[in-house]
Amino acid sequence: MSHNTFGHLFRVTTFGESHGPALGCVVDGCPPLIPLEAADIQAELDRRKPGQSRFTTQRREPDEVRILSGVFADDRTGGQQLTTGTPIALLIENTDQRSKDYSEIRDKYRPGHADYTYDVKYGIRDYRGGGRSSARETAARVAAGAIARKVLPAVTIRGALVQMGPHRIDRANWDWEEVSRNPFFCPDAKAAALFEDYLDGIRKDGSSVGAVIEIVAEGVPAGLGAPIYGKLDSELAAALMSINAVKGVEIGDGFAAAELRGEDNADQMRLGNQGAPHFLSNHAGGVLGGISSGQPVVCRFAVKPTSSILTPRETVTRYGADADVLTKGRHDPCVGIRAVPVGEAMVALVLADQFLRHRGQVGESARWPFDV
Amino acid sequence: MSHNTFGHLFRVTTFGESHGPALGCVVDGCPPLIPLEAADIQAELDRRKPGQSRFTTQRREPDEVRILSGVFADDRTGGQQLTTGTPIALLIENTDQRSKDYSEIRDKYRPGHADYTYDVKYGIRDYRGGGRSSARETAARVAAGAIARKVLPAVTIRGALVQMGPHRIDRANWDWEEVSRNPFFCPDAKAAALFEDYLDGIRKDGSSVGAVIEIVAEGVPAGLGAPIYGKLDSELAAALMSINAVKGVEIGDGFAAAELRGEDNADQMRLGNQGAPHFLSNHAGGVLGGISSGQPVVCRFAVKPTSSILTPRETVTRYGADADVLTKGRHDPCVGIRAVPVGEAMVALVLADQFLRHRGQVGESARWPFDV
Amino acid sequence: MSHNTFGHLFRVTTFGESHGPALGCVVDGCPPLIPLEAADIQAELDRRKPGQSRFTTQRREPDEVRILSGVFADDRTGGQQLTTGTPIALLIENTDQRSKDYSEIRDKYRPGHADYTYDVKYGIRDYRGGGRSSARETAARVAAGAIARKVLPAVTIRGALVQMGPHRIDRANWDWEEVSRNPFFCPDAKAAALFEDYLDGIRKDGSSVGAVIEIVAEGVPAGLGAPIYGKLDSELAAALMSINAVKGVEIGDGFAAAELRGEDNADQMRLGNQGAPHFLSNHAGGVLGGISSGQPVVCRFAVKPTSSILTPRETVTRYGADADVLTKGRHDPCVGIRAVPVGEAMVALVLADQFLRHRGQVGESARWPFDV
Amino acid sequence: MSHNTFGHLFRVTTFGESHGPALGCVVDGCPPLIPLEAADIQAELDRRKPGQSRFTTQRREPDEVRILSGVFADDRTGGQQLTTGTPIALLIENTDQRSKDYSEIRDKYRPGHADYTYDVKYGIRDYRGGGRSSARETAARVAAGAIARKVLPAVTIRGALVQMGPHRIDRANWDWEEVSRNPFFCPDAKAAALFEDYLDGIRKDGSSVGAVIEIVAEGVPAGLGAPIYGKLDSELAAALMSINAVKGVEIGDGFAAAELRGEDNADQMRLGNQGAPHFLSNHAGGVLGGISSGQPVVCRFAVKPTSSILTPRETVTRYGADADVLTKGRHDPCVGIRAVPVGEAMVALVLADQFLRHRGQVGESARWPFDV
């Protein structure tokens, strides 16, 4: 990971600002011969798209993706479009950059935003809609993640919002089917109803609130991860922490593990039906020593409340004066909601890259531990 | 970060197993003309060294470091040893690899350890003392971190243990001086006394317990961080999560930020005395949009309890049979304690690398935001 | 350099196929505050553009470039467009993909082309116009190179064709002004006249011929290069060898150095007027021990004859049958001609990246060797 | 390739100076389960070792290598030592650093050497024996190359000296067996006899001479190479150009290709006996479009004459004065000779890395082009 490129063998480079002509990415290193249509990517983009409920920004972006390279179809592929192993460029045009007066955010550093730090670092910034630091950049990640998923067709990666502000779901009610039935990606129908009331209040106050998202990847083969500094959990932490507004990441039990004793934390094993090891619990979240164990990979990340709120806040201007600022415009009262498909995409990118790196070093033949 | 190399411009490659002849690292890309003696590195190693109290493993390793390359002294440097800009190789010989019967851990996968996953990935592992997955590898990180600190002489990086098992320190008692006065790196004298009793009980039970460590870097210049995928917080998360047994990472308020409303989370600013912006709080932990703000960088990580305990646990063998295993030998009842200097080292490595990358892209001249 | 990304701090990722909808690149890591208009890039693209004389392919591509991100202008920049430090995406649409019957090259592997090797590697290829292996990809390099030049405004990078087939220029006639006056980028007016006749003959035969190109970079500061494996000459060699059809690379005297004795090869030094060292010759081509010496950096590369010719050649088909193939269509009789601006671009990319890496490790302050 | 690390998945980081305590390397990313003894590496080191004839430096270095990590043997491996997939650290102690007066080379920049450029870049250098820029560093490459060879057991990589000063071998006399029978790695017995006389004269004059080396890799599978910027030939060029004193690199016909017409250059194909394509010539040197074709990979590199000679040369001092310098001491009159095993090692490193990267992206199953 460096600058705007993510990954080693499966590499994604994103570009684009919130109010520039377009954003997009180049996916390099994708294996060849994978069926890939724009519609596959669009389906994921539509899950992240703004303006789908009153709980997300009212900006209207169709987020239509075009594939510019790296795929091919002819009569020999039966008309099916396949990846060719060359870079896949994806382009999403910005269409709803509302013309407005930017003087407020041009000169005043909005607290909690990257306005000040971009200016300090670069001496210049595209302040329109947050420029490069806008969450709009995550559309490119979701698009790339859709391709990453296809590298690992046997892996299922799903995300859910498990906490909004101080309100947590009841895990006993967890139902993956429920996630697509409410505007919060919430797996607990009861909690979703509560979230609706709660967030309506927040929204009407012109305020915002944080959230916690959980991502679960099932079907991850054992053996992925490149210790010591390319550990699977280390890269998941980097990937999730790189999402806008994320302030914390956990694998498995996460911070709760600190409170446990050794007897309670380590996941015991027994032989399963197929002669493969079977874990009796999953405190580890599917990763041991930086390598996947074959259990579901479970991670969580905390998203801070959207910093754009209607209450005036104290700040300074670019010219060195004290000032008050308040952020009008179209914003998500809980930016954590749309972070769910983004988190899924980041997990997919890490897994696809680690899978290729593992295959590179070790090959495809299973290292069945019991027959050496 | 890839395989066993960490960093982009300031790069550290570590090697070595717990019971092999030696471990060490190569630090590449270090700026030239920095005074560096082995004693500078040794001082940091001694803080991590095992066997310094009854609360860490009784393995006796002097952890003496030799510098094999990359430094030079002659009469023209006044006899002072300086870095030359070429790779600095550091070697630490293993001396206390007690000969023992390894048959227990050779064939049985210890729950919570990387035994099973290394075998699944590689088809082979050096099981003596945990091999490559032993926390002994972190000595090389601490050694490299000592050099990284010298790249940023104006930055102070300090760590403290803030939670042991369920017991948290009282932040009102925080005293950095206290950290070196107790065997826990604990900044709260009262809590340290409690930890002593508590951990004695754990130790006598042959059990273990987790911990939470906080690292604070003061004096970090504003502007470090390479968005989008080389964000400062993203790389800190990766660095800390790569430490053995770490299951969670937070920046600033971390998971607590999820519970806040926008008014309470964003750090307001006012002009300070020197005309520079002054933040009124530090919920962000010194990072906004992936770039340092000039505030102290604050991060925390959770360490799970040591998986080596005296209580027998259920597992499977390499040959596909159910078995019970218990781990005798010399172990840390709370491996989180010695993780404190390791966490400091990882933060130092991230900051040194980000500093060089920032200087590469943007140059040394300050981007004073108020005078453009 | 990996896959389709070139560079470490100044990084270029290209994408696109010859007959796909578009090609382009993402330039990441560019320093901020550099004036950059599309016209700056277009000027370089126009030098490489096909169809400008009867000696290059008759494909008509305007090669119009759009900047999609990474630049910003407002009243505070005086309307001048500046780089912002974020990724600069460049897009060039393909417009003259002539519809034709591809059955000949779809199934038959053209000798000297990458048809067979792409199929062996990936199991699929976009055969239209050579797909990804088409020299059309080099438009993206030239575009990126135009930005790289702006990172080093004091460096002048110029290229010239010094040999066509067996015919070499007379170096006594070298005149940089002449390069833009003939369709060959030839610095020797007399040789250019000869080349014209010679290449007309080749062209009428439906044949092709190779060439040698020399690139000279003047004003390169001393100190660039990252030994041992990031040596300046090593990266120049990689950069030039990565250009389509290149089979050899030389720095300074190149292969002729093998024939010299030590007395004749090493460049002696004397103090110059400004107290700086002055070299009495430049056999080294401006690089010593992988680091620039302050002398002009001189490199040459050999381009093989275009493999697309009208004479039938023996080959095999994708289906395992012997066949004859001849390549009709629009081709360069001497692809080396248009390689001149491409070579300049690659040298610019290497120098910009090395400059940023040098500044990262060592800083901006000159290491004046005489005052330590 | 960056700084002192070479490769992407199979990565080698070298360290050490000519007169420091030791040099060595860390080989990271090696596949597991490969038999590896120190003796395997020693055999290659012995071919490069100085002092084996009167035609190489008389420095007496045993170049004994120790493996510090990354291998394991127990009863279950039948006592055979295998790689484990973790970093393999190799250490070679310097033993014959003759104490001497360095004042001559400390202050005077030897023409043709890296003295001046290291000082300009870093402001300091270890001048003893050339420090980091000494050809002694190549011992670490040869050691790493010995491991790389084992990653590709079916590939045979051999090198030969084909030109010394102005004298070329007669290719009609090429006999690989002859290479180990003379002190020049020369495949032509007659030329070797000539070289002996010629080099004796050079040596007695206190002079030196350049050379050209050819490396041939047979058995390279088709499909290796990662276009566009990770092309196999591009990486070979970088690898060979990174060897001390190399000034030119060719693949296949190299610069001679520039003189050819299209009919003569492209290698025609016919179906071979096993139904696989068979090339009728190998002008391309086994690489098409940056991807291996299955033919032998053939490359050549030119080595300049050793810059250390007994004839006084004009130079400047570190303190800004004109001076004369002559280089006494133990030097190779033709450093190209010992570059032969170094060139082999670099080719082995490139191929091993490309093989792993190819396997990562595309997998192990052959992409047989005829049955899609």
Side-chain angles (χ1 to χ4, degrees):
Chain A
M1 285 215 296
S2 62
H3 297 332
N4 296 275
T5 295
F6 181 88
H8 294 262
L9 286 192
F10 189 92
R11 300 161 65 84
V12 177
T13 302
T14 73
F15 64 87
E17 278 85 29
S18 176
H19 285 52
L23 55 87
C25 63
V26 182
V27 177
D28 195 10
C30 185
L33 302 174
I34 296 177
L36 179 70
E37 303 287 343
D40 301 325
I41 301 167
Q42 197 63 52
E44 293 295 328
L45 279 171
D46 288 350
R47 296 178 62 223
R48 193 212 72 101
K49 205 167 60 175
Q52 305 194 97
S53 81
R54 67 183 183 276
F55 302 109
T56 60
T57 170
Q58 296 307 301
R59 179 168 173 173
R60 296 281 163 192
E61 283 291 352
D63 279 355
E64 257 178 60
V65 66
R66 278 177 70 204
I67 304 180
L68 298 182
S69 62
V71 293
F72 190 64
D74 70 357
D75 54 335
R76 217 155 47 191
T77 69
Q80 190 179 35
Q81 189 165 268
L82 303 177
T83 60
T84 61
T86 64
I88 304 167
L90 304 178
L91 192 72
I92 301 168
E93 311 233 10
N94 287 322
T95 62
D96 187 22
Q97 313 104 301
R98 203 169 289 185
S99 72
K100 57 171 274 192
D101 177 10
Y102 289 108
S103 57
E104 183 84 358
I105 62 172
R106 189 189 72 170
D107 297 333
K108 295 179 185 173
Y109 297 125
R110 294 167 299 164
H113 277 288
D115 301 351
Y116 171 67
T117 52
Y118 267 69
D119 251 12
V120 166
K121 183 178 186 74
Y122 298 118
I124 185 174
R125 77 182 202 283
D126 181 347
Y127 41 75
R128 299 168 304 161
R132 182 68 180 149
S133 69
S134 164
R136 191 148 173 67
E137 183 268 346
T138 59
R141 306 185 189 208
V142 170
I147 301 177
R149 287 175 192 263
K150 292 180 157 272
V151 174
L152 295 168
V155 177
T156 303
I157 302 167
R158 293 182 292 193
L161 190 141
V162 298
Q163 180 182 334
M164 182 185 287
H167 304 293
R168 287 170 172 75
I169 63 159
D170 179 349
R171 289 181 167 263
N173 297 339
W174 193 296
D175 176 5
W176 280 114
E177 298 295 315
E178 187 58 34
V179 164
S180 56
R181 291 197 199 112
N182 61 69
F184 308 112
F185 299 103
C186 177
D188 170 358
K190 275 194 188 163
L194 172 71
F195 290 176
E196 187 158 353
D197 277 353
Y198 173 69
L199 197 56
D200 262 331
I202 295 283
R203 192 171 57 85
K204 285 168 187 162
D205 291 355
S207 183
S208 64
V209 73
V212 175
I213 290 93
E214 181 164 317
I215 310 288
V216 180
E218 290 170 288
V220 177
L224 303 194
I228 300 296
Y229 302 120
K231 283 179 174 173
L232 180 56
D233 38 2
S234 175
E235 298 202 346
L236 287 169
L240 296 173
M241 191 68 93
S242 80
I243 300 172
N244 309 48
V246 173
K247 301 304 286 184
V249 177
E250 295 184 319
I251 308 291
D253 279 3
F255 277 85
E259 307 198 10
L260 296 179
R261 291 172 59 129
E263 300 82 46
D264 303 318
N265 175 70
D267 303 307
Q268 301 185 86
M269 301 165 87
R270 274 292 174 251
L271 270 189
N273 290 337
Q274 280 80 38
H278 171 71
F279 289 89
L280 306 184
S281 56
N282 191 12
H283 296 282
V287 185
L288 286 168
I291 303 172
S292 62
S293 67
Q295 285 204 286
V297 171
V298 180
C299 34
R300 267 178 311 284
F301 58 99
V303 179
K304 69 178 185 184
T306 318
S307 297
S308 302
I309 51 175
L310 288 180
T311 310
R313 311 304 295 157
E314 297 184 312
T315 192
V316 298
T317 72
R318 184 180 174 94
Y319 303 102
D322 283 343
D324 278 8
V325 66
L326 97 178
T327 316
K328 291 178 204 157
R330 305 164 293 178
H331 299 290
D332 294 273
C334 177
V335 75
I337 297 170
R338 292 203 292 137
V340 175
V342 181
E344 292 175 11
M346 294 311 289
V347 169
L349 292 175
V350 170
L351 290 173
D353 187 42
Q354 286 277 8
F355 170 69
L356 299 188
R357 286 150 69 189
H358 174 76
R359 184 163 70 176
Q361 185 183 8
V362 175
E364 277 174 303
S365 56
R367 302 283 165 192
W368 185 240
F370 298 157
D371 61 10
V372 174
Chain B
M1 285 214 295
S2 63
H3 296 333
N4 296 275
T5 295
F6 182 88
H8 294 261
L9 286 193
F10 189 91
R11 298 162 66 84
V12 177
T13 302
T14 72
F15 64 86
E17 278 86 27
S18 176
H19 285 52
L23 55 87
C25 63
V26 181
V27 177
D28 195 9
C30 185
L33 303 174
I34 295 177
L36 180 69
E37 303 287 342
D40 302 325
I41 301 167
Q42 196 64 50
E44 292 297 327
L45 279 172
D46 288 349
R47 295 177 62 224
R48 194 213 70 102
K49 203 166 63 175
Q52 304 195 95
S53 81
R54 67 184 182 278
F55 302 109
T56 59
T57 170
Q58 296 307 302
R59 179 169 172 173
R60 297 281 164 192
E61 283 291 352
D63 278 355
E64 256 177 61
V65 68
R66 278 176 70 203
I67 304 180
L68 296 182
S69 63
V71 292
F72 191 63
D74 69 358
D75 53 336
R76 217 154 47 189
T77 69
Q80 191 180 33
Q81 190 165 268
L82 303 176
T83 60
T84 61
T86 63
I88 304 168
L90 304 178
L91 193 72
I92 300 169
E93 310 233 10
N94 287 322
T95 61
D96 188 22
Q97 314 104 300
R98 204 168 287 183
S99 72
K100 58 171 273 193
D101 177 8
Y102 288 108
S103 56
E104 184 83 356
I105 62 171
R106 189 187 72 170
D107 297 332
K108 295 178 185 172
Y109 297 126
R110 294 168 299 164
H113 277 288
D115 301 351
Y116 170 66
T117 52
Y118 266 69
D119 251 12
V120 165
K121 183 177 186 74
Y122 298 118
I124 185 174
R125 76 183 203 281
D126 180 346
Y127 41 74
R128 300 167 304 161
R132 182 68 181 150
S133 70
S134 165
R136 192 149 172 65
E137 184 267 346
T138 60
R141 306 185 189 208
V142 170
I147 301 176
R149 286 175 192 264
K150 291 181 158 274
V151 174
L152 295 168
V155 177
T156 302
I157 301 165
R158 292 183 291 193
L161 191 141
V162 298
Q163 180 182 335
M164 182 184 288
H167 304 294
R168 287 168 172 76
I169 64 159
D170 180 348
R171 288 182 168 263
N173 297 338
W174 193 296
D175 177 5
W176 280 114
E177 298 295 316
E178 186 58 32
V179 164
S180 56
R181 291 196 200 114
N182 62 67
F184 308 112
F185 299 103
C186 177
D188 170 357
K190 275 194 189 161
L194 171 72
F195 290 176
E196 186 158 354
D197 277 354
Y198 173 70
L199 197 57
D200 262 331
I202 296 283
R203 192 171 57 85
K204 284 169 188 161
D205 290 355
S207 184
S208 65
V209 73
V212 175
I213 290 95
E214 181 164 316
I215 311 286
V216 180
E218 290 170 288
V220 177
L224 303 193
I228 300 294
Y229 303 119
K231 283 180 173 171
L232 180 57
D233 39 0
S234 175
E235 297 202 346
L236 287 169
L240 296 174
M241 192 67 93
S242 80
I243 300 172
N244 309 49
V246 173
K247 302 303 288 183
V249 177
E250 294 184 321
I251 308 290
D253 279 4
F255 277 85
E259 308 198 9
L260 295 179
R261 290 171 62 128
E263 300 82 45
D264 304 318
N265 174 70
D267 304 306
Q268 300 184 87
M269 301 164 87
R270 273 291 173 251
L271 270 189
N273 290 336
Q274 280 81 36
H278 171 72
F279 289 89
L280 307 184
S281 56
N282 191 12
H283 296 284
V287 185
L288 287 168
I291 302 174
S292 62
S293 66
Q295 286 204 285
V297 172
V298 180
C299 35
R300 268 178 310 286
F301 58 99
V303 179
K304 71 179 185 183
T306 319
S307 297
S308 302
I309 51 174
L310 288 180
T311 310
R313 311 304 294 156
E314 294 186 314
T315 192
V316 299
T317 71
R318 184 180 176 93
Y319 303 103
D322 283 343
D324 279 8
V325 66
L326 100 179
T327 317
K328 290 179 204 158
R330 304 165 294 178
H331 299 291
D332 293 274
C334 176
V335 76
I337 297 171
R338 293 204 291 136
V340 176
V342 181
E344 292 174 12
M346 294 312 289
V347 170
L349 292 174
V350 170
L351 290 173
D353 186 41
Q354 286 278 9
F355 170 69
L356 299 187
R357 285 150 69 189
H358 174 75
R359 185 164 70 176
Q361 185 183 7
V362 175
E364 277 174 304
S365 57
R367 301 284 166 192
W368 185 238
F370 298 152
D371 60 10
V372 174
Chain C
M1 285 215 295
S2 62
H3 297 333
N4 295 276
T5 295
F6 182 87
H8 294 263
L9 287 193
F10 189 92
R11 299 160 67 85
V12 177
T13 302
T14 73
F15 64 86
E17 278 84 28
S18 176
H19 284 53
L23 55 88
C25 63
V26 182
V27 177
D28 194 10
C30 186
L33 303 174
I34 296 177
L36 179 70
E37 304 286 342
D40 302 325
I41 301 167
Q42 196 64 51
E44 293 296 327
L45 279 171
D46 288 349
R47 296 177 63 224
R48 193 214 72 102
K49 204 166 61 174
Q52 304 195 94
S53 81
R54 67 183 183 276
F55 301 111
T56 59
T57 171
Q58 295 308 299
R59 179 168 172 173
R60 296 281 163 193
E61 283 291 353
D63 278 356
E64 257 178 60
V65 67
R66 278 176 71 202
I67 304 180
L68 297 182
S69 62
V71 293
F72 191 63
D74 69 358
D75 54 336
R76 215 154 48 190
T77 69
Q80 190 181 34
Q81 189 164 268
L82 303 177
T83 60
T84 61
T86 63
I88 305 167
L90 304 178
L91 192 73
I92 302 168
E93 311 233 11
N94 287 322
T95 62
D96 188 22
Q97 314 103 300
R98 202 168 289 185
S99 73
K100 57 170 276 193
D101 176 9
Y102 288 109
S103 57
E104 184 83 358
I105 62 172
R106 189 188 73 169
D107 297 333
K108 295 178 184 173
Y109 296 126
R110 294 168 299 165
H113 278 287
D115 301 350
Y116 170 67
T117 53
Y118 267 69
D119 251 11
V120 165
K121 182 177 187 73
Y122 299 118
I124 185 175
R125 76 183 202 284
D126 180 347
Y127 41 75
R128 300 167 303 161
R132 181 69 180 150
S133 70
S134 164
R136 196 154 166 63
E137 182 268 345
T138 60
R141 307 186 188 208
V142 170
I147 302 177
R149 286 175 192 263
K150 292 180 158 273
V151 174
L152 296 167
V155 177
T156 303
I157 301 166
R158 293 182 291 193
L161 190 142
V162 299
Q163 180 183 336
M164 182 183 288
H167 305 293
R168 288 169 170 75
I169 64 159
D170 181 348
R171 288 183 167 262
N173 297 339
W174 193 297
D175 176 6
W176 280 114
E177 298 295 315
E178 187 58 34
V179 165
S180 56
R181 290 196 200 114
N182 61 68
F184 309 112
F185 300 103
C186 177
D188 170 357
K190 275 194 190 164
L194 171 70
F195 290 176
E196 186 158 353
D197 278 354
Y198 173 70
L199 197 55
D200 262 332
I202 295 284
R203 192 170 57 86
K204 284 167 188 163
D205 290 356
S207 184
S208 65
V209 72
V212 175
I213 291 94
E214 181 164 317
I215 311 287
V216 180
E218 290 171 288
V220 177
L224 303 193
I228 300 293
Y229 302 120
K231 283 179 174 172
L232 180 56
D233 39 359
S234 176
E235 298 201 345
L236 287 169
L240 296 173
M241 193 67 93
S242 80
I243 300 172
N244 310 47
V246 173
K247 301 304 286 183
V249 177
E250 294 184 321
I251 309 289
D253 279 4
F255 277 85
E259 307 198 10
L260 295 179
R261 290 172 61 129
E263 301 82 45
D264 304 318
N265 174 71
D267 304 306
Q268 301 185 85
M269 302 165 88
R270 274 292 173 252
L271 269 189
N273 290 336
Q274 280 80 36
H278 171 72
F279 289 88
L280 307 184
S281 56
N282 190 12
H283 296 285
V287 186
L288 286 168
I291 302 173
S292 62
S293 66
Q295 287 205 284
V297 172
V298 180
C299 34
R300 267 179 310 285
F301 58 99
V303 179
K304 70 179 185 183
T306 318
S307 297
S308 302
I309 52 174
L310 289 179
T311 311
R313 310 306 293 159
E314 296 185 312
T315 192
V316 298
T317 71
R318 185 181 175 93
Y319 304 103
D322 283 343
D324 278 8
V325 66
L326 98 180
T327 318
K328 290 177 203 157
R330 305 164 294 179
H331 299 289
D332 293 273
C334 177
V335 75
I337 297 170
R338 292 204 291 137
V340 175
V342 181
E344 292 175 11
M346 294 312 290
V347 169
L349 292 175
V350 170
L351 290 173
D353 186 42
Q354 286 278 7
F355 170 69
L356 299 187
R357 286 150 69 188
H358 174 75
R359 186 164 69 176
Q361 185 182 9
V362 175
E364 277 174 305
S365 57
R367 302 282 165 193
W368 185 239
F370 297 157
D371 61 10
V372 173
Chain D
M1 285 214 297
S2 63
H3 297 333
N4 296 276
T5 295
F6 182 88
H8 294 260
L9 286 192
F10 189 91
R11 299 162 65 85
V12 177
T13 302
T14 73
F15 64 87
E17 278 85 28
S18 176
H19 284 53
L23 55 88
C25 63
V26 181
V27 177
D28 194 9
C30 185
L33 303 175
I34 296 177
L36 180 69
E37 303 287 342
D40 301 325
I41 302 167
Q42 197 63 52
E44 292 296 327
L45 279 171
D46 289 350
R47 295 178 63 224
R48 194 213 71 104
K49 202 166 63 173
Q52 304 196 94
S53 81
R54 68 183 184 276
F55 301 111
T56 59
T57 171
Q58 296 307 299
R59 179 168 173 174
R60 296 282 163 190
E61 284 290 352
D63 279 355
E64 258 178 58
V65 67
R66 278 176 71 203
I67 304 180
L68 297 182
S69 62
V71 292
F72 191 63
D74 70 357
D75 53 336
R76 217 155 47 190
T77 70
Q80 190 180 33
Q81 189 164 269
L82 303 176
T83 59
T84 61
T86 64
I88 304 167
L90 304 178
L91 193 73
I92 301 168
E93 310 232 11
N94 287 323
T95 61
D96 187 22
Q97 313 103 301
R98 204 169 288 185
S99 71
K100 58 169 276 193
D101 176 9
Y102 288 108
S103 57
E104 184 82 357
I105 62 172
R106 189 188 71 170
D107 297 333
K108 295 178 184 172
Y109 297 125
R110 295 167 298 164
H113 277 288
D115 301 351
Y116 171 66
T117 52
Y118 267 69
D119 251 11
V120 165
K121 183 177 187 73
Y122 298 118
I124 185 174
R125 76 182 202 282
D126 180 348
Y127 40 76
R128 300 167 305 161
R132 182 68 180 149
S133 70
S134 165
R136 196 154 168 61
E137 182 267 346
T138 59
R141 307 185 189 208
V142 170
I147 301 176
R149 287 175 192 264
K150 291 179 158 275
V151 174
L152 295 167
V155 177
T156 303
I157 301 166
R158 292 182 293 192
L161 191 142
V162 298
Q163 181 183 335
M164 181 184 288
H167 304 293
R168 287 169 170 77
I169 63 159
D170 180 348
R171 287 181 169 263
N173 297 338
W174 194 297
D175 176 5
W176 280 114
E177 298 294 315
E178 187 57 34
V179 165
S180 57
R181 290 195 200 113
N182 61 68
F184 309 111
F185 299 102
C186 176
D188 169 357
K190 275 194 187 163
L194 171 72
F195 290 176
E196 184 157 355
D197 278 355
Y198 173 70
L199 197 56
D200 262 331
I202 296 284
R203 191 170 58 85
K204 283 168 188 162
D205 290 355
S207 183
S208 65
V209 74
V212 175
I213 290 92
E214 181 164 317
I215 311 288
V216 180
E218 291 171 286
V220 177
L224 304 194
I228 300 291
Y229 302 120
K231 282 179 174 174
L232 180 56
D233 39 0
S234 176
E235 297 202 346
L236 287 169
L240 296 173
M241 193 67 93
S242 79
I243 300 173
N244 310 49
V246 172
K247 301 303 287 183
V249 178
E250 296 183 320
I251 308 290
D253 279 4
F255 277 84
E259 308 198 10
L260 295 179
R261 289 171 62 128
E263 301 82 46
D264 304 319
N265 174 70
D267 303 305
Q268 301 184 87
M269 300 165 89
R270 273 292 174 251
L271 270 189
N273 290 336
Q274 280 80 38
H278 170 73
F279 289 89
L280 307 184
S281 55
N282 190 11
H283 296 283
V287 185
L288 286 167
I291 303 173
S292 62
S293 67
Q295 286 205 285
V297 172
V298 180
C299 35
R300 267 178 309 286
F301 58 100
V303 179
K304 71 179 185 183
T306 318
S307 297
S308 303
I309 52 174
L310 289 179
T311 310
R313 311 303 294 158
E314 296 186 313
T315 193
V316 298
T317 72
R318 184 180 175 94
Y319 303 102
D322 282 344
D324 279 8
V325 65
L326 98 180
T327 317
K328 290 178 203 157
R330 304 164 295 178
H331 299 289
D332 293 275
C334 177
V335 75
I337 297 170
R338 292 204 290 137
V340 176
V342 180
E344 292 175 11
M346 295 312 289
V347 170
L349 292 174
V350 170
L351 290 173
D353 186 42
Q354 286 277 9
F355 171 69
L356 299 188
R357 287 151 68 189
H358 174 75
R359 186 164 68 177
Q361 185 182 9
V362 176
E364 277 174 306
S365 58
R367 301 283 164 192
W368 185 239
F370 297 152
D371 60 11
V372 173

